[in-house]
Amino acid sequence: MKTVLLCAALLCGGAALAAEPGAKAPAKGAAAKPAAAASSANAAAELAEADALFAKKAYPEALQKYTKLANAGNVMAQQHLGEMYFYGEAGSVDMDKAAQWFQKAAAKGNPVATASLELMKQRETRRADLDYWIAKYDGADLRTNEYRCPAPRFPAMSKVNEEIDYYSGKMKDWEACHNRWVKYLNASLPLTKRIPDDIAKLLTKDETDKATAHLKEVSDRLAEDTKVAGRMVVADFDAWRAGTEAYVKEHNEMVKNAPPRDDGGK
């Protein structure tokens, strides 16, 4: 170690002696280091500014700064720029531009960009599943056999006790099924809970918003259909019951007011 230090001292001494006659300028390498450090500091400051603008949702200004830094080769700016195009914060969703910037950052070892490219590949593979939850889900899977409640059909009236008991029982069975379905439907809301986790993580913000709106429409339709179907069954039942009660009342009055049966004096 001492020998190395001694050699370094001699080299420094020689450099000092050689510099005396002409007062030469510093070597290029010595000047480059402070300049590089200043450039790095400036880039870090600009990146911090861009991050602050993004945090305040000043997306156009953040986009401008990220773009400048990304074009200059700043890896973090390339990653953030890819994210802005991916999520639509650059003005609109642009998957091609997102992929381009992620690829640039990933080529320099950025792990987030690498993971983002993998996520984009998964999105391509699961495109049909994404579209299903964004626009095609209709809630049919909720109506399992346990919650299928066929509406009973009632005659205009019933005249015998056996038939009255039968239709009264049919109404009770339907009512129990209907109430069970309403409870299950309410417990299933919001329907966004039904989106599988492996699909939910692949949705962009814009797609998540679309899926949320679509599923809200589906749940509203299911609720309205349930109300309408329930009202129709209750109306049919009430009509049957009114007709039956009227018949029973009339029949009982006829029996009550009927003249005594002539049994021939026996």
Side-chain angles (χ1 to χ4, degrees):
M1 180 62 72
K2 290 182 179 179
T3 303
V4 174
L5 291 174
L6 177 60
C7 291
L10 290 174
L11 288 172
C12 291
L17 291 172
E20 286 180 3
K24 294 181 180 180
K28 291 182 180 179
K33 288 181 180 179
S39 177
S40 178
N42 290 337
E46 286 190 67
L47 183 63
E49 289 178 18
D51 291 342
L53 289 168
F54 183 88
K56 292 189 292 186
K57 297 186 178 181
Y59 296 137
E61 294 83 355
L63 178 67
Q64 185 177 15
K65 287 189 175 292
Y66 281 139
T67 301
K68 176 186 174 183
L69 290 165
N71 285 328
N74 186 287
V75 178
M76 290 302 298
Q78 290 171 346
Q79 173 203 315
H80 292 320
L81 201 53
E83 291 169 340
M84 290 189 74
Y85 280 113
F86 182 88
Y87 289 108
E89 294 150 344
S92 62
V93 174
D94 192 326
M95 291 298 175
D96 290 337
K97 286 186 178 180
Q100 290 172 9
W101 287 113
F102 283 144
Q103 286 166 357
K104 289 179 182 293
K108 297 176 183 178
N110 183 282
V112 174
T114 300
S116 298
L117 288 171
E118 178 58 32
L119 182 143
M120 293 181 77
K121 289 180 181 179
Q122 292 178 25
R123 281 173 51 80
E124 292 178 11
T125 303
R126 306 296 297 275
R127 186 71 258 172
D129 295 322
L130 294 173
D131 291 341
Y132 173 73
W133 289 103
I134 292 170
K136 298 178 181 179
Y137 177 81
D138 61 3
D141 61 318
L142 293 170
R143 283 286 197 178
T144 59
N145 289 334
E146 183 181 0
Y147 303 109
R148 294 187 189 279
C149 308
R153 291 291 178 259
F154 301 95
M157 69 179 74
S158 295
K159 298 181 179 181
V160 296
N161 289 335
E162 290 80 2
E163 190 172 289
I164 293 173
D165 291 341
Y166 172 79
Y167 284 111
S168 296
K170 293 286 285 185
M171 184 59 183
K172 287 181 180 179
D173 291 343
W174 174 86
E175 196 171 33
C177 181
H178 178 78
N179 291 338
R180 188 164 60 245
W181 157 247
V182 170
K183 183 177 180 180
Y184 176 64
L185 177 60
N186 288 334
S188 299
L189 301 179
L191 292 178
T192 48
K193 295 189 299 185
R194 299 187 70 79
I195 302 177
D197 291 341
D198 60 334
I199 297 298
K201 72 178 183 180
L202 299 179
L203 292 168
T204 64
K205 181 181 182 300
D206 181 59
E207 289 170 340
T208 298
D209 291 342
K210 288 180 179 178
T212 299
H214 170 67
L215 295 175
K216 178 64 166 56
E217 290 179 2
V218 172
S219 63
D220 289 346
R221 177 180 54 77
L222 289 172
E224 184 61 24
D225 289 350
T226 297
K227 289 179 182 178
V228 171
R231 288 169 185 162
M232 290 178 64
V233 172
V234 170
D236 287 348
F237 175 75
D238 287 345
W240 167 80
R241 181 169 58 183
T244 299
E245 288 177 350
Y247 170 79
V248 170
K249 181 178 180 181
E250 181 181 0
H251 177 73
N252 289 342
E253 286 294 327
M254 290 175 61
V255 171
K256 179 180 177 181
N257 297 323
R261 188 176 61 177
D262 185 4
D263 57 2
K266 292 182 181 180

